Amino acid sequence: RIGLLPESMRLKDLLGWCEQKLAAKGIRMVGEPERQIRRVALCSGSGGGMLERVISSGVDVFITGDIKYHEAQRALEADLALLDVGHFASERLIVQPLGDFLRRRADKRRMALEVLVAERERDPFLVQGGA
């Protein structure tokens, strides 16, 4: 997905916003913290395979959940800011809404469907300290 923020903000402030909204600790950042960001690309999970498409799109920042070292280097070379919010945090936010959607869809079609939503799953990575 590509979209525009309502107004420009600094990369480090966008990182803080992502920490709060995703309850994500230890977000990794590539790029100048004071850089102004407006146009954003987003891919939940591992978005590293989309990096070249994102670079060619002309966005200011790419927010995704799993970036490798050489992908981060490539982004830096291309002057693309990155926020690696973590695989778990980038996908966890859809679990409950997706479960609700499936239940509604099944009810509408009068289908017997039990949807179980994992509630105790946690990010396997522990982050200590600050950025």
Side-chain angles (χ1 to χ4, degrees):
R1 280 292 206 218
I2 293 177
L4 291 175
L5 296 174
E7 55 188 53
S8 293
M9 65 189 321
R10 295 178 303 185
L11 179 60
K12 69 180 184 180
D13 295 332
L14 180 60
L15 183 147
W17 185 86
C18 287
E19 281 182 329
Q20 178 188 15
K21 294 296 180 183
L22 300 174
K25 301 281 188 248
I27 293 177
R28 299 186 306 167
M29 177 175 57
V30 172
E32 173 56 44
E34 297 295 326
R35 178 180 180 165
Q36 290 295 307
I37 300 297
R38 180 90 198 276
R39 195 161 186 239
V40 178
L42 174 66
C43 176
S44 62
S46 180
M50 300 184 69
L51 188 59
E52 292 304 321
R53 280 181 62 190
V54 171
I55 289 169
S56 67
S57 74
V59 298
D60 300 316
V61 65
F62 182 32
I63 303 171
T64 190
D66 234 336
I67 291 292
K68 296 178 182 174
Y69 175 84
H70 289 102
E71 294 163 342
Q73 273 299 103
R74 174 67 181 114
L76 195 58
E77 292 167 2
D79 195 32
L80 172 68
L82 283 177
L83 293 180
D84 181 345
V85 300
H87 201 112
F88 181 84
S90 76
E91 291 184 345
R92 181 65 188 160
L93 68 149
I94 193 62
V95 173
Q96 186 65 51
L98 181 58
D100 294 342
F101 169 80
L102 292 172
R103 283 186 201 97
R104 284 192 310 273
R105 194 70 174 235
D107 288 347
K108 185 177 180 179
R109 294 179 180 199
R110 293 180 171 71
M111 295 173 61
L113 178 67
E114 181 180 11
V115 178
L116 303 175
V117 174
E119 295 177 1
R120 295 189 322 185
E121 185 177 11
R122 299 289 179 253
D123 193 334
F125 294 103
L126 298 175
V127 178
Q128 290 187 302

